[in-house]
Each structure stands twice: as C-alpha cells, then as structure tokens.
C-alpha cells in the first residue's frame, strides 16, 4: 500500500512538473510521517471521488443516506468537492521539494478540520440508516476516517 501511494505521488509529480526526472522530488522526506500524510490524503480522494460523483449524478442510493436534494445537501456537496480538490492538490504538492514543507502543514490543517467535523457528525446526524445497518454509513465511515487522520496527525506532530 505505501509503495502504491508513492508510485501515484511520483506519477503526479511528473505530471505536475512536466519533468523527465526526480530532480525536485523530496525523496529524503519519504518517511513514515510523509507516508501517513499521503495515505490520509489518498483516503480523502478515494472516498470523496465516488461520493462526489454520486451527488453530482443524483444517484438514488446517495439520497438514502444523505437525504433528498436540498440546499443543505448542495452545501455538503460543495464541502466534499472542496476537500476532494484540496486533497488531490496537496497529495501532489507534498512530494515536490519546493512546496513540500508548506504543503504538509496545509494538509495537516485540512486533516484537523476534518477530524473535528467527522467526530461531531454522530452528534448531529439522525436517520439515513439503510437496511439492517446499525447506523448511517456516512457517520460510521467518518469516525473511521477521523481515527486514521488522528494517527496521521499524531505521528506528524511527534518529535
């Protein structure tokens, strides 16, 4: 899994810089801290891409868990798209030496905001429980993703 993330990051790097080689690639910084940060951003993209597409395409299954199309759901869609685009951009930038340090701190800030909202979600969300699930699947996945992001932040901020 970490190798796949690094391979994707390298391909993103080559595409972003139009370079033929890794002259600016921050290879020295590819440690556990950067790997976990990349994994958290990758999880954001992997989760939010299909969810955002489902919201844009008005997939009926999305309505079961997020409710009918309302202004509030449109705002949620905008927030999801914002997190998706920021995560995608930061995923590329954290591996480029010239932008790595600043991008890592921006990604850390994004993850902190996500942790807060994802842990608040169970207290603010009612309904949307399909079938025999114990809770709303968005709430369950939010808590799991927030826990992973907590590990990422803990490792990132550790001395």
């Amino acid at each position: 899994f970490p190798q796949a993330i690094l391979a994707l990051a390298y391909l993103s790097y080559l595409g972003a810089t139009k370079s033929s080689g890794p002259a600016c690639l921050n290879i020295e910084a590819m440690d556990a801290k950067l790997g976990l940060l990349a994994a958290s951003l990758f999880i954001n993209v992997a989760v939010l891409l299909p969810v955002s597409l489902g919201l844009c395409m008005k997939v009926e299954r999305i309505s079961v868990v997020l409710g009918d199309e309302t202004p509030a759901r449109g705002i949620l869609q905008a927030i999801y798209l914002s997190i998706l685009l920021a995560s995608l951009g930061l995923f590329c930038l954290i591996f480029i030496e010239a932008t790595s340090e600043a991008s890592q701190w921006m990604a850390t800030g994004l993850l902190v905001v996500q942790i807060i909202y994802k842990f608040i979600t169970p207290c603010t969300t009612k309904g949307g429980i399909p079938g025999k699930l114990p809770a709303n699947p968005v709430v369950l996945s939010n808590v799991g993703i927030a826990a992973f992001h907590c590990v990422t932040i803990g490792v990132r901020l550790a001395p």
Side-chain angles (χ1 to χ4, degrees):
F1 186 69
Q3 292 83 1
I5 291 171
L6 292 176
L8 283 171
Y10 182 69
L11 291 174
S12 299
Y13 159 76
L14 289 178
T17 62
K18 296 184 172 90
S19 171
S20 61
C24 299
L25 192 59
N26 194 0
I27 295 173
E28 297 81 30
M30 287 189 194
D31 58 6
K33 291 182 179 190
L34 187 60
L36 273 173
L37 192 60
S40 279
L41 293 170
F42 182 80
I43 287 169
N44 283 350
V45 173
V47 169
L48 290 173
L49 185 61
V51 171
S52 295
L53 286 173
L55 284 165
C56 290
M57 297 170 55
K58 299 174 177 38
V59 174
E60 188 176 326
R61 290 188 319 180
I62 296 286
S63 294
V64 174
V65 294
L66 295 178
D68 294 328
E69 194 171 346
T70 63
R73 197 173 98 170
I75 293 167
L76 179 66
Q77 181 179 0
I79 292 168
Y80 282 175
L81 285 170
S82 298
I83 295 169
L84 171 63
L85 294 173
S87 296
L88 192 56
L90 289 167
F91 183 82
C92 298
L93 292 173
I94 64 173
F95 291 101
I96 299 173
E97 190 171 358
T99 60
S100 183
E101 187 175 344
S103 299
Q104 288 179 50
W105 284 111
M106 287 186 261
T108 301
L110 174 66
L111 297 181
V112 168
V113 170
Q114 283 187 267
I115 289 166
I116 294 166
Y117 103 76
K118 287 178 181 296
F119 279 138
I120 291 173
T121 302
C123 302
T124 61
T125 305
K126 306 290 182 253
I129 305 171
K132 297 180 179 184
L133 291 177
N136 184 303
V138 174
V139 173
L140 294 174
S141 65
N142 274 354
V143 170
I145 293 167
F148 187 88
H149 289 346
C150 282
V151 171
T152 297
I153 297 298
V155 169
R156 168 117 174 91
L157 298 178

